[in-house]
Each structure stands twice: as C-alpha cells, then as structure tokens.
C-alpha cells in the first residue's frame, strides 16, 4: 500500500497549473512548480493571493509559499516526487515527449497525471516504457473550487493504480469520476458544449439576449443541476411513476424535438452579436471581481449543500 | 395603475397547477382552484402538506387552506379574479376554447396566463375578442421553488400588460424573463434538451453510467451554472481577455466539435439501458423523499446565494 502523495510537481504554470498549485498548497502538500517563466514564482504568489482564500481551511497565502519550490528544470522538479500533474498546452507531440521525460525523471511509483481536456492516456503514453502509467485527471476550471475531476486511464491500467489516483483526488476534496472510455472532450465538456450550441442559437434567433440566457440558466436548470443531475430530474418530473413514466409518455417526443435544435454557425455575425451583448453586461466588470464573485458563490453553494462534510482538514 | 393581484384562479389541478396553487397560497393570495375532479380539495391539501414548507415564510399548510376555494365551474371560478393561471393539458383546441371562455368569464383587466410549455400566445388567443390579452407564463417545475418564469406575449401585447405580468411574478419571488420571440419549447427546455441529448449519448456509448452522469453534472456545470450563466462562464474561462479572447482562440473549434456531438436514437435499447441503470440508483427511493430532498437543496442554494433578499413578506 502506497502512502498518499505529500510532494507533487505541477508541470507548466498556466491558468490550470496555477489552480492546481493553489489547491495542492492549500491542502497541505509540498509543491514543485516546473516552469521556465522567469516570473513563475510571482505568478504563483498572485494566484495564491487571489484564489487560496476560496479553498476552505487554507492557511494565509504568505504561509503557503513556504511549501512552494519553483524549478525551471523538469528533471530536478520531478526528483523524488509522489505525483506529477501536467498542464502543458494541448500539443500531442509536446506532451508525448514530456511524459517520456516524466517517466524517466520521477520515481517508479509516482502518479503521472495529465490535465488534458482532449488527449487520451493511450496517445500521451506512446513513448513510455510503461504507457499504462499515464492517467488523465481532467479538472473543471477552476480546479481549486469546482469538485469534478474526470479520470481516464488506458485499458491496461492496473486497478490498483486507478484506486490510488481516485484516493489522491478524493483526499483533496475533489469528486473524481472514472470514465468507462474516452470520447473527444470526455463528458463534462461535451455536455457543456451541447448546451452552449443551443444557447448561441437562441441568441442568434433573437429569442433571448446573452444576459437573459444567463439569467434563464441560473434561475432554472443551473439551480436544478447543482442539486440533482439531469436523469434524476427527469425521474422526478415523471411524478410517482418516475423515469419509466416520463420515458413512456414524453420519450417519444425527444428525438423529433432534438432534430429541431439549433445548428448555429460560429461566423463573424455570431461573434459580434455575442460580444456586443456581453460588453453591455458582465463585460463591464473586472476579471478579478468576477472571478472572486464566482468562487464565493460556488463555495456558498457547496457549503449550503453540505457536500464537503467528508473533506479532511489540510494535511499540515 | 392596476393593483397587484389578490385573487387568482388556477385552472386545472395537475402537477403544475398544484405547484402554482401552493405558491400563490403561500405568498398570501386568495386562490380559486378550478377543477372538476371530486378529490380536488384533497389534492390541494396534500400538495400544500408536501410543498408549502418549501416556500420561505409560508404559513402552516392548514392555515393556507382558509384562502382556498375549489370551484368545478370555470365561469364561477373566474368571477371577479385579478389573474388566471391556466394549466390544462397541452391540447391546442382545448386551450383555445378555454381561453375564449376565460376572456368572457374574467374581469376585463384580469391577467390571462398560460403555463403551456409548447404553445404560443398567438395560437392560444385565436378565439378571443382581444387575443393580445393571452400571455404565456411558463414555469420551470416545480413552480413553488424554481425561480424562472418564461414570459411570452403576442406581438400586439401592450407594454403596460407585459409590465403587469412581470410585476405579478416578481412580487411572488419569481424571476420572469420576457422572451424576444417564441421557438418550440421556448428557451430553458430547449437548453435542457440539448444537454440531455448528449447525456443519453454518453450513457449509450458506455462513457458513463446514469449515476456518473448525474454526479458529473452536479459536480461541475450544474454548480457553475447555478452561480453564473454559460456566457459569463466562458468570459471567465477566457481569462483577463474575457469572452473576446475565448472566442478568438477557441471559438473556431466549436463548430467542428458540435458536429461530433451525439445523435442517439430513443429506441427500446436506450430506454432499457437508462431504466436499468436508474433502477440501481435514485430509482430505489420514494418520490416524496426525493422531491423533499430536491426542494430542500434548491432552497439551500437560493438562501446561500442571497438571491431572495428582495422578496417581500407574504401579503397577509
């Protein structure tokens, strides 16, 4: 039985990498950020300042910096770590090289995790001696607040490895879901994209504005789906007869209705319309303001639902 | 200036009608339920028992019954009311007749509102002397908890009428959104259906189970969309460059990605797969239990977000 990771390398310091670094530090881990950007330490410090207060139980941002090492050399960054979370750009060749180097540099039992939102573990692992070590742990942005991590493994991944990855994320307060197999975009981004397509259609067709669309979602399906998922919602919409009743009475209408959904072009007109309307609403406020408000509201919901009651205190 | 409605008729006592009756009574209005079902009064009493505790500030269910009248005759039910909320089955001819009778029976300035989820005010109003009086006020189920009401008016509706409808719903703590025009399913149901289509696809393709799909949504996009809408979420995903940056860098990938989304058939195999998986999870629990939990969680979120702070106390 391998102990829970205590030292984690975060490869690349973009938005997602910084989010993971914030979470790992806030939950008590030692973190090595691997980045060649000369301002990497300042970037992490700024991310901690902005985001660490959104992680329950986190120490003050300054204190978290004590457990941070910034290391521009990949091999040195991975020396002796228990896990690596990779966040490089979505470039297959680049990531294939990176994972081959990660396998050589990290200990033989270190977790090799990728935040990729599009690539499969099989594709990422082609240059490794043990390709099945590569596991996708795709977070939903921002990783320090939103619980979901989609976990995708290669077919040959040993169950014990999957269990270690799930335990690692769960110990950080995340909700890991192990997918049965990988489709492009995995699950959450595909679902999101399907709704977004219709959202763009409704704005293009003049049914609603960008602002109204957001209000409609937060006041109905967003609220609903924060509490119960789409299938359980249908089950309750079916009344005491449940999903069975719903499918038998309304299921036949689904396919023809789906055929009538929008297929909007993402052309110049669409882009300009969305931006013009966005500029009249949230586009006026600062990124920092909006981010803080989003995180505050998301945490308020998680607290209200009590879904974090099993989260252990930070490790140290 | 017309005073806010004090006496409201609820036409038909199905799930949606009972939800409206619960909300209207809980918010202090006098309610006439028009139903020919001999057990109508008992149905309303049971709905109040189950649902009224979910309306903030509601008096005990027994006390609410004092303001309830059950009247099987439509004309008598509408005599002197300030507003009518119609909830008959989605049968165009039936509703056209109903609205023509409602126009004759209700006072000339009463609001004539339909809960229809599919029909337009123009279609509903063809047999009225003043067809523009018909306004759709489509709630998201259950009406006593979920804030959204999609408001759809005919093209000739006077702005003053639209304003009265919006004020009426807002005074009850609802979030009315006036749509620019009507498409089949309006907005929320179309958005919901688009996501559902991909959800069914992911289950059919073995990417996730029904239970995992629900977990994925509640742990990511549901949580997100309860706090900020899809467009504002994209804006923040774009970083400090906002939606403009997001569209310019990722927008080009949207259309090809959309083309790859699923188009699952709702055949026997799909139905059986969904039901078999559902039966292993929420399908085991009682409707009452699940409904109460859903409403409790939805209210916990609304309270946590403070979005009800402007709601006035019940009228009496």
């Amino acid at each position: 039985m391998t102990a829970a990771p205590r030292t984690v390398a975060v490869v690349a310091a973009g938005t997602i990498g910084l989010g993971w670094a914030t979470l790992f530090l806030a939950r008590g881990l030692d973190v090595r950020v691997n980045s060649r950007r000369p301002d990497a330490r300042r970037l992490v410090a700024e991310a901690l300042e902005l985001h660490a207060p959104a992680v329950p139980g986190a120490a003050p941002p300054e204190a978290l910096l004590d457990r941070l090492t910034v290391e521009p050399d990949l091999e040195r960054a991975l020396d002796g770590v228990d896990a690596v979370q990779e966040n490089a750009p979505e470039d297959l060749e680049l990531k294939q090289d990176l994972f081959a180097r990660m396998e050589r540099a990290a200990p033989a039992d270190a977790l090799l995790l990728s935040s990729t939102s599009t690539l499969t573990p099989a594709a990422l692992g082609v240059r490794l001696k043990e390709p099945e070590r590569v596991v996708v742990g795709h977070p939903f942005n921002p990783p320090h607040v939103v619980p979901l991590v989609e976990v995708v493994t290669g077919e040959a991944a040993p169950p014990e490895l999957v269990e270690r990855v799930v335990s690692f994320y769960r110990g950080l307060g995340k909700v890991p879901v192990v997918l049965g197999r990988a489709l492009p975009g995995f699950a959450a981004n595909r679902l999101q994209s399907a709704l977004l397509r219709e959202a763009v259609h409704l704005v293009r067709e003049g049914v609603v504005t960008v602002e109204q669309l957001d209000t409609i979602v937060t006041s109905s399906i967003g609220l609903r789906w924060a509490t119960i998922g789409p299938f359980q919602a249908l089950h309750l919409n079916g009344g005491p007869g449940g999903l069975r009743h719903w499918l038998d009475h309304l299921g036949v209408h689904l396919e023809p209705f789906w055929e009538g959904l929008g297929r909007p072009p993402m052309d110049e007109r669409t882009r300009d319309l969305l931006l013009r309307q966005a500029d009249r609403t949230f586009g006026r406020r600062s990124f920092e303001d909006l981010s803080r408000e989003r995180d505050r509201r998301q945490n308020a919901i998680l607290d209200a639902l009590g879904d974090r009651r099993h989260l252990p205190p930070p490790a140290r």
Side-chain angles (χ1 to χ4, degrees), chain A residues 13 35-44 70 72:
Chain A
S35 168
R36 277 180 301 207
R37 297 180 61 153
D39 58 348
R41 193 171 179 90
R42 186 178 58 76
L43 283 175
V44 181
V70 172

Side-chain angles (χ1 to χ4, degrees), chain A residues 27-309:
Chain A
R27 301 299 303 160
L29 303 179
D30 289 329
V31 173
R32 312 242 189 99
V33 169
N34 169 238
S35 168
R36 277 180 301 207
R37 297 180 61 153
D39 58 348
R41 193 171 179 90
R42 186 178 58 76
L43 283 175
V44 181
E46 284 176 5
L48 289 174
E49 194 69 42
L50 184 60
H51 298 309
V55 184
E62 319 79 70
L64 298 180
L65 285 171
D66 291 349
R67 280 185 276 99
L68 169 70
T69 310
V70 172
E71 173 53 66
D73 180 80
L74 180 73
E75 281 67 26
R76 270 204 295 272
L78 266 56
D79 182 41
V81 298
D82 304 312
V84 189
Q85 183 83 40
E86 170 276 322
N87 315 276
E90 296 289 82
D91 175 329
L92 180 59
E93 294 250 348
L94 180 147
K95 290 210 192 219
Q96 286 173 334
D97 275 344
L98 205 46
F99 268 89
R101 288 174 63 197
M102 282 162 55
E103 182 185 43
R104 289 192 295 272
D109 62 348
L111 301 175
L112 302 181
L113 304 162
S114 175
S115 299
T116 181
S117 59
T118 55
L119 305 169
T120 62
L124 294 172
V126 289
R127 298 187 196 161
L128 271 68
K129 289 202 190 90
E130 299 178 71
E132 65 276 12
R133 283 186 66 192
V134 178
V135 176
V136 168
H138 173 238
F140 201 80
N141 193 41
H144 61 284
V145 178
V146 180
L148 179 68
V149 186
E150 292 173 313
V151 175
V152 188
T153 66
E155 286 182 23
E160 174 267 344
L161 172 63
V162 185
E163 192 38 57
R164 279 177 64 212
V165 172
V166 166
S167 297
F168 170 56
Y169 287 130
R170 201 169 276 153
L172 295 164
K174 308 291 289 177
V175 175
V177 175
V178 182
L179 305 191
R181 67 190 193 87
L183 285 188
F186 308 132
N189 277 344
R190 293 178 68 93
L191 295 165
Q192 176 169 247
S193 194
L195 183 136
L196 184 63
R197 185 185 206 179
E198 187 60 23
V200 171
H201 177 66
L202 291 170
V203 170
R204 264 185 67 96
E205 292 295 314
V207 175
V208 290
T209 63
V210 161
E211 184 173 18
Q212 286 182 311
L213 192 289
D214 277 2
T215 300
I216 283 173
V217 171
T218 53
S219 309
S220 62
I221 44 187
L223 172 65
R224 165 67 46 80
W225 291 335
T227 62
I228 56 174
F231 286 118
Q232 189 171 333
L234 289 188
H235 181 67
L236 287 176
N237 283 352
L243 185 61
R244 190 163 270 104
H245 179 86
W246 195 93
L247 285 172
D248 289 343
H249 286 74
L250 298 170
V252 292
H253 302 298
L254 275 179
E255 255 188 277
F257 191 78
W258 285 340
E259 288 303 320
L261 293 175
R263 303 178 63 174
M266 278 304 294
D267 54 12
E268 203 65 12
R269 191 193 136 214
T270 305
R271 178 186 174 281
D272 291 350
L273 183 65
L274 295 176
L275 288 177
R276 203 161 58 240
Q277 294 191 0
D279 283 345
R280 285 202 293 267
T281 163
F282 48 75
R284 290 185 197 151
R285 298 177 52 195
S286 82
F287 177 67
E288 286 72 20
D289 249 26
L290 288 169
S291 298
R292 274 203 198 90
E293 184 176 281
R294 175 195 63 190
D295 293 352
R296 183 185 58 73
R297 286 168 66 87
Q298 291 187 163
N299 275 316
I301 291 177
L302 290 169
D303 287 340
L305 295 179
D307 287 354
R308 292 200 289 217
R309 60 190 177 276

